[in-house]
Amino acid sequence: MKRLAGFLAAAWLLGCGLGVALADSFDIFEYTPPQGWKKSNLQGGVMLALQTKESFGSIVLYASVPAGNNPQQNFQGEWKRLVVEGLGLSGEPTTEMGPPNGDYQNLAGGIAASQDGLNYVVLLSTFTGNGRVASILYITTDERHFDLFDRFNSSLKLNKPKAAQAPPVNVARPPTHTTANQRTIATPTTRFNDGWVSTIENGFVRVAKGEVVVLLHYGMPLPENMWVTGNEQERVGYYWNRLVAPRYRVDELKVFKNDVCYYCLYFGEGSATEVSTGTRKHVALYIGFDKGLGYAIQVVAPSFAAFQKEFPNIEAVGRMYGYNKFAVKATDLVGTWKESSSVAGQYYNSITGAYAGMNAVSSAHSFTFNRDGTYTSTHAGASGFVGSQQFYSQKYQGRMTLNNWQMSLTNRHNNRTEVFEAYFEMTGAGPVLHLIQVDARGIHYRLVRE
């Protein structure tokens, strides 16, 4: 068995709260950044990183998300979300319970892995409390960083989450951003082969087929007390009162009741009368939660039979978020789009337990698209064992062409032309550009405008 205890030990001081001066904050975290480490804002997190010719280290703090009160279940859920799905890893992590930090209970674990010839380990540390779970990833290629991690951990403090501000009851949809990015999408409508038609509107994506209409609402906060209770009736009722009740008077709201669950279903439905017209409808509401927000899917059908024909089960309603997908036009792309990520791994001899070195990989990708159809992309990072790391920095320049849902980029690696599946996902803050390489689908860029 590979031993992770040496690496895990560096994280158990999380939340000790030694009373040192706190220099920065993010979400529910207060912390002192290590001197000389570069801070980068990620989508839903903050990364602190130091990269030299000899070593690499990073600390990634993620925004807290709604959760129950079981630290083990929360760790498993965050491991699945951040490591299995986020990093594409598999396997059961070695875990250990750490000391509490105020209202929060610490649980951490790690796993050694090998991928594309790179050996590395991922350590995830989670904190459960106040109806939420907060997570941190620790990465290093140098054992000397452990003392630095200890000092960082000593400055860490976890606060109670701020209460969410609920919109007025008579508002039919959540407040949204009206950024220039959102207004300048050239193709705000998508016609899918199965008959559904998606259209970007203010506050949601409208998806329709015949007389059945689905509204994919952007993220909307839930009051803090409801994160703690986790009551299906209260959560569904909260969103129903703000998104549905202003337009429909329901006969009886029937809310789905979960058994013991981690990924619970939040779903309500009922026969209703449209207030403005007096027309009878069947209305349903599904809510998925991610990064502290609730994403509501509202279905309006002429009858229960029409609803059931399109949605034979609750999960079918949840899958409708896959219709938040829009074609990319050249005018949408002008400017710079970026993403960044990092991961590292440490190995111990499986027989002796002796330290056997550590690998790490970090990357940053940037695409700049110009009005004349040319593009520039830069890809930088580092990988390999400490002491012999390979650093790379690649830059490509060429032409970009769009054809339906595909983007072609010339003059890539070895002067090849690479083809990507390209589409926009719309969010309340604007579009996310997805580029998936057709002949190597593991290469998936998720880019946001700079």
Side-chain angles (χ1 to χ4, degrees), residues 115-396:
Q115 191 173 43
D116 297 328
L118 179 68
N119 300 318
Y120 58 92
V121 85
V122 173
L123 170 69
L124 175 68
S125 185
T126 60
F127 298 86
T128 293
N130 292 312
R132 305 184 78 80
V133 59
S135 300
I136 301 178
L137 281 176
Y138 284 85
I139 297 167
T140 185
T141 63
D142 190 340
E143 287 181 314
R144 290 173 294 183
H145 284 161
F146 289 163
D147 288 339
L148 182 145
F149 285 167
D150 288 344
R151 294 193 298 271
F152 177 85
N153 295 340
S154 297
S155 72
L156 188 66
K157 177 183 177 182
L158 273 70
N159 299 312
K160 290 185 177 181
K162 295 179 180 180
Q165 298 297 316
V169 173
N170 63 349
V171 174
R173 60 187 63 146
T176 59
H177 302 275
T178 55
T179 63
N181 290 349
Q182 186 170 336
R183 291 196 302 267
T184 55
I185 296 260
T187 308
T189 299
T190 301
R191 298 182 181 276
F192 294 90
N193 293 333
D194 59 4
W196 290 103
V197 179
S198 296
T199 305
I200 298 173
E201 297 196 11
N202 183 27
F204 54 82
V205 171
R206 183 181 188 271
V207 190
K209 180 197 288 187
E211 296 184 274
V212 179
V213 177
V214 180
L215 306 182
L216 308 177
H217 294 274
Y218 304 145
M220 179 180 178
L222 185 71
E224 194 59 43
N225 65 302
M226 292 187 189
W227 289 127
V228 177
T229 62
N231 183 288
E232 296 96 333
Q233 191 77 34
E234 288 183 343
R235 292 195 186 187
V236 172
Y238 177 81
Y239 288 95
W240 186 279
N241 288 337
R242 282 147 182 79
L243 302 175
V244 183
R247 293 189 56 193
Y248 299 94
R249 186 172 62 251
V250 66
D251 299 342
E252 180 188 0
L253 177 58
K254 300 177 181 178
V255 176
F256 177 79
K257 180 66 176 177
N258 291 281
D259 294 323
V260 178
C261 60
Y262 182 78
Y263 294 106
C264 301
L265 293 174
Y266 295 91
F267 176 82
E269 62 180 336
S271 297
T273 300
E274 189 171 25
V275 175
S276 61
T277 66
T279 306
R280 296 290 291 171
K281 302 285 187 180
H282 186 81
V283 184
L285 193 67
Y286 173 103
I287 305 101
F289 294 97
D290 184 43
K291 296 181 175 66
L293 297 175
Y295 293 83
I297 301 176
Q298 179 181 343
V299 182
V300 180
S303 65
F304 176 71
F307 169 80
Q308 196 171 43
K309 179 181 178 182
E310 296 295 340
F311 307 104
N313 53 57
I314 296 175
E315 290 79 6
V317 179
R319 289 193 290 270
M320 288 301 295
Y321 236 97
Y323 289 86
N324 186 346
K325 188 174 183 179
F326 298 91
V328 177
K329 299 297 182 183
T331 53
D332 299 322
L333 294 174
V334 175
T336 300
W337 300 75
K338 291 185 174 182
E339 79 160 353
S340 61
S341 63
S342 66
V343 68
Q346 176 176 275
Y347 253 66
Y348 290 83
N349 187 287
S350 60
I351 298 175
T352 66
Y355 179 67
M358 193 168 190
N359 277 290
V361 59
S362 64
S363 63
H365 308 282
S366 173
F367 290 79
T368 299
F369 300 99
N370 305 309
R371 294 185 183 280
D372 61 0
T374 60
Y375 83 94
T376 300
S377 75
T378 58
H379 310 268
S383 63
F385 274 98
V386 59
S388 60
Q389 279 186 290
Q390 299 297 313
F391 295 84
Y392 71 90
S393 179
Q394 298 170 325
K395 183 175 182 179
Y396 301 111

Side-chain angles (χ1 to χ4, degrees), residues 28 65 67-75 78 97 100-107 125-135 158 262:
I28 64 173
V65 296
N69 298 319
N70 187 312
Q72 186 66 46
Q73 288 184 351
N74 292 343
F75 176 88
E78 288 293 87
M97 193 74 72
N101 181 330
D103 297 335
Y104 297 87
Q105 177 59 55
N106 179 221
L107 179 65
S125 185
T126 60
F127 298 86
T128 293
N130 292 312
R132 305 184 78 80
V133 59
S135 300
L158 273 70
Y262 182 78

Side-chain angles (χ1 to χ4, degrees), residues 26-144:
F26 169 73
D27 192 62
I28 64 173
F29 294 106
E30 292 185 19
Y31 61 92
T32 299
Q35 186 175 3
W37 287 46
K38 182 180 178 181
K39 176 182 175 182
S40 300
N41 293 320
L42 308 176
Q43 192 172 21
V46 168
M47 179 171 68
L48 309 171
L50 180 68
Q51 182 171 302
T52 68
K53 292 183 179 180
E54 293 78 27
S55 65
F56 171 83
S58 73
I59 304 169
V60 184
L61 299 89
Y62 291 93
S64 61
V65 296
N69 298 319
N70 187 312
Q72 186 66 46
Q73 288 184 351
N74 292 343
F75 176 88
Q76 292 171 355
E78 288 293 87
W79 183 269
K80 180 177 184 294
R81 181 172 74 93
L82 299 175
V83 179
V84 177
E85 297 177 355
L87 301 178
L89 300 180
S90 61
E92 291 298 320
T94 301
T95 61
E96 185 173 335
M97 193 74 72
N101 181 330
D103 297 335
Y104 297 87
Q105 177 59 55
N106 179 221
L107 179 65
I111 188 171
S114 179
Q115 191 173 43
D116 297 328
L118 179 68
N119 300 318
Y120 58 92
V121 85
V122 173
L123 170 69
L124 175 68
S125 185
T126 60
F127 298 86
T128 293
N130 292 312
R132 305 184 78 80
V133 59
S135 300
I136 301 178
L137 281 176
Y138 284 85
I139 297 167
T140 185
T141 63
D142 190 340
E143 287 181 314
R144 290 173 294 183

